[in-house]
Amino acid sequence: MLGNSSEYNNNGQTHHPRFLPKRIILLRHGECEGNIDGSAYTTTPDHKIPLTAQGIDQAKKAGWRIRHVVSDAGECSNWKVYFYVSPYERTRSTLREIGRALPKKRVIGVREECRVREQDFGNFQVAERMKAVKETREKFGRFFYRFPEGESAADVYDRVSSFLESLWRDIDMKRLQQDTSDELNFVIISHGLAMRVFLMKWFKWTVEQFEYLNNLGNCEFRVMELGFGGEYSLAVHHTDVEMLEWGLSPEMIADQKWRAHANRGDWNEKCFVVSGLIL
């Protein structure tokens, strides 16, 4: 079954249940030409950079890993998948290879979503100039630094926030037309920074916490899974060691473990300190 949580009106009375996907999986594209040779961006628009042969192989293998997760290692018989994909060539190619591992009857939809595209670094990128720009970004701060003619991570945060609002509307209004007896999984195929700000927005992480997050490797993914009480958590599927390696602090990991057992809508009373501020 899909996870579900009851919604309440102003009198505290329950009305329609909200059926939730069991998992939201964030997956970075496979290795692309720009990952191995930065000069590719000087002659090819970022959105047209293709996967390498290694990237294609990574995506094929990722498809089977995704299938293993969403099928509960073959134990679940009614799993389904809905894909959201960035419009870039490398993400769409990654989706195409992942799809080879999934029976067509298991895929209930695919939507191209511009708001989860790569951070805009400007148009054609001059290698020496970009090196200097990225050095400046490290001094300025990765979240607020805006690339000349491009975007900051804060700009990406704004459009990913808009995407999240649409995602919840799709769920609330049952636009995905899912059978509520199916176990639905969302898979979002995107880019490293867009995925980090997605998690930042979802879990209400601070800018300082964002700065410590590590980028995903090509075709790596993060699984947000419904816990016992209806909250999504990284700790349901992933270990403490994995989360530490990604840059989550012990306090952030403790919050993920709390979410794995919390009832939906509960507030974590165990506040923690960031830069002297009580959150």
Side-chain angles (χ1 to χ4, degrees), residues 16-252:
H16 70 86
R18 168 187 278 173
F19 291 94
L20 302 172
K22 181 175 182 179
R23 301 176 189 87
I24 299 174
I25 300 175
L26 306 172
L27 183 139
R28 187 185 175 202
H29 60 81
E31 180 188 81
C32 68
E33 295 290 349
N35 293 141
I36 60 173
D37 182 6
S39 67
Y41 298 108
T42 64
T43 57
T44 306
D46 194 0
H47 65 279
K48 292 185 178 181
I49 296 286
L51 293 180
T52 62
Q54 171 72 5
I56 292 172
D57 185 60
Q58 289 172 338
K60 288 178 180 177
K61 291 176 179 176
W64 289 103
R65 296 201 311 274
I66 290 288
R67 179 169 177 167
H68 182 80
V69 171
V70 299
S71 69
D72 284 320
E75 294 296 318
C76 177
S77 62
N78 62 332
W79 60 272
K80 297 291 177 64
V81 180
Y82 192 97
F83 285 99
Y84 292 88
V85 61
S86 157
Y88 280 39
E89 173 63 26
R90 55 187 178 271
T91 42
R92 295 193 302 140
S93 295
T94 299
L95 170 63
R96 191 158 47 244
E97 299 304 324
I98 286 174
R100 300 182 193 280
L102 307 177
K104 289 184 179 180
K105 67 179 182 179
R106 299 290 188 176
V107 180
I108 61 173
V110 176
R111 182 178 302 174
E112 184 174 283
E113 177 52 70
C114 285
R115 288 171 292 182
V116 297
R117 68 187 185 275
E118 176 65 288
Q119 179 180 11
D120 189 347
F121 299 108
N123 296 315
F124 292 110
Q125 301 171 28
V126 179
E128 286 303 315
R129 183 188 180 206
M130 286 301 295
K131 180 181 178 181
V133 164
K134 289 182 178 180
E135 289 174 355
T136 303
R137 178 182 61 173
E138 291 304 309
K139 296 176 183 177
F140 190 90
R142 289 189 296 167
F143 188 75
F144 290 114
Y145 181 81
R146 178 175 286 111
F147 283 85
E149 302 175 355
E151 292 180 302
S152 66
D155 295 325
V156 179
Y157 180 96
D158 290 341
R159 58 174 160 84
V160 167
S161 297
S162 170
F163 165 64
L164 270 173
E165 292 172 2
S166 299
L167 192 69
W168 280 116
R169 282 196 299 274
D170 285 346
I171 293 171
D172 284 341
M173 300 182 71
K174 298 182 175 63
R175 287 174 176 160
L176 303 180
Q177 304 292 318
Q178 74 267 20
D179 183 338
T180 55
S181 67
D182 288 336
E183 192 170 273
L184 180 61
N185 300 269
F186 286 170
V187 179
I188 302 171
I189 302 177
S190 183
H191 308 264
L193 186 132
M195 293 164 61
R196 279 178 283 153
V197 298
F198 182 103
L199 292 169
M200 177 189 179
K201 170 65 177 178
W202 190 286
F203 294 119
K204 299 178 175 62
W205 293 339
T206 67
V207 171
E208 182 176 351
Q209 289 166 335
F210 168 85
E211 296 284 356
Y212 286 99
L213 297 177
N214 296 315
N215 205 10
L216 281 71
N218 294 117
C219 276
E220 284 188 355
F221 55 82
R222 305 288 183 258
V223 180
M224 298 164 52
E225 187 165 334
L226 281 177
F228 296 108
E231 278 285 348
Y232 287 97
S233 170
L234 295 167
V236 176
H237 184 82
H238 300 291
T239 66
D240 291 14
V241 172
E242 286 177 313
M243 290 186 282
L244 276 171
E245 289 175 348
W246 304 338
L248 274 68
S249 68
E251 292 84 3
M252 293 163 74

